[in-house]
Amino acid sequence: MSKHNIVKATFALLDDNGDLIKDADKGLSTDGIYVADHNGEGFSQINVSAIEAAGVAGWGNGQIKRTAYGKSMPTLALTALDLDFKINQMIKGFTQSTNTGAWVRQLPKPHVAMIAESQSLDGDISIYECFNNIEFVEEASNNSTDTNSEAAYSTALQGTVLTPLKPDIFLAANGVQQPYVIAKSTDTGFSLDKLYAETFGGYVLNPTTTTTTTNPSNG
């Protein structure tokens, strides 16, 4: 089906075991996720490439007898209208110097999980494209002088999608793990809670609140 519009992009950092990092300093927030949808913030482009490649025909007896397909190797190209400076540095794997406060590139790259949400053409259906293990780079920083028009630079990120961190997620019906899943909100069996938990390393989308009631004294 056709889709349009970027509703929002949601990010999280995962540890080497694929578990959500819920920490305001080591992760993206106290609950682990960051929705890039604050004042002036959002994405103008989220493009996914190389989800699949055309197969290679196998010939025998003058006929195509089978087709060989390579692995899925998705890549991402994101353009932000604006993205929080700290979040941008953290998903690239930059760390902050205790001496100057500057952000410095550090390897290995962090494990970034992301869900990109778009819409059906009528806007009634949500489409979710999910990635559990991305490495992001920002290849360039462009600067131009303002004239009678403002010269603004949009953050451009490139992402390489790696194998999911846990072996029991993003599984096809035959049990083979893939790096990319796509979901439609009206599909039978769709669960946004489970999709978030699987993509974001155990994140609880709708936590149950337990209220403790204390009975007043009768004395």
Side-chain angles (χ1 to χ4, degrees), residues 88-95 104-110 136:
N88 184 27
Q89 305 314 313
M90 293 188 72
I91 65 176
K92 294 185 302 181
F94 280 44
T95 57
V104 187
R105 180 176 183 257
Q106 178 174 297
L107 296 176
K109 291 279 186 178
F136 277 112

Side-chain angles (χ1 to χ4, degrees), residues 13-206:
L13 295 184
L14 309 182
D15 64 21
D16 289 341
N17 296 317
D19 294 319
L20 181 65
I21 301 175
K22 295 187 288 186
D23 185 283
D25 296 319
K26 297 179 181 178
L28 301 185
S29 67
T30 54
D31 71 352
I33 69 169
Y34 184 82
V35 181
D37 192 27
H38 298 84
N39 185 33
E41 182 184 49
F43 284 88
S44 57
Q45 294 283 330
I46 298 177
N47 297 321
V48 188
S49 303
I51 299 170
E52 289 190 284
V56 178
W59 290 81
N61 298 342
Q63 299 173 325
I64 298 177
K65 294 287 189 175
R66 63 172 179 253
T67 307
Y69 292 95
K71 299 284 188 179
S72 176
M73 298 176 59
T75 58
L76 289 163
L78 280 60
T79 303
L81 174 67
D82 196 7
L83 180 62
D84 179 87
F85 181 81
K86 179 181 177 182
I87 297 298
N88 184 27
Q89 305 314 313
M90 293 188 72
I91 65 176
K92 294 185 302 181
F94 280 44
T95 57
Q96 193 170 24
S97 166
T98 56
N99 183 39
T100 64
W103 292 83
V104 187
R105 180 176 183 257
Q106 178 174 297
L107 296 176
K109 291 279 186 178
H111 307 291
V112 183
M114 185 185 86
I115 294 180
E117 181 183 348
S118 56
Q119 297 173 305
S120 62
L121 291 182
D122 60 13
D124 292 336
I125 299 171
S126 292
I127 307 295
Y128 303 92
E129 293 180 272
C130 307
F131 312 86
N132 175 255
N133 187 11
I134 312 165
E135 291 185 355
F136 277 112
V137 299
E138 186 176 15
E139 292 183 351
S141 175
N142 300 317
N143 305 282
S144 300
T145 186
D146 285 345
T147 58
N148 59 323
S149 298
E150 181 180 80
Y153 166 65
S154 294
T155 298
L157 298 169
Q158 287 75 44
T160 301
V161 182
L162 308 181
T163 300
L165 292 162
K166 292 182 182 291
D168 59 347
I169 65 171
F170 286 32
L171 300 180
N174 62 358
V176 176
Q177 189 175 58
Q178 300 292 339
Y180 164 91
V181 301
I182 184 169
K184 180 165 71 75
S185 61
T186 54
D187 270 349
T188 300
F190 173 78
S191 170
L192 189 59
D193 290 4
K194 291 180 180 179
L195 191 67
Y196 266 64
E198 187 165 298
T199 303
F200 293 134
Y203 178 77
V204 179
L205 182 61
N206 296 308

Side-chain angles (χ1 to χ4, degrees), residues 213-219:
T213 302
T214 303
N215 291 326
S217 173
N218 293 325

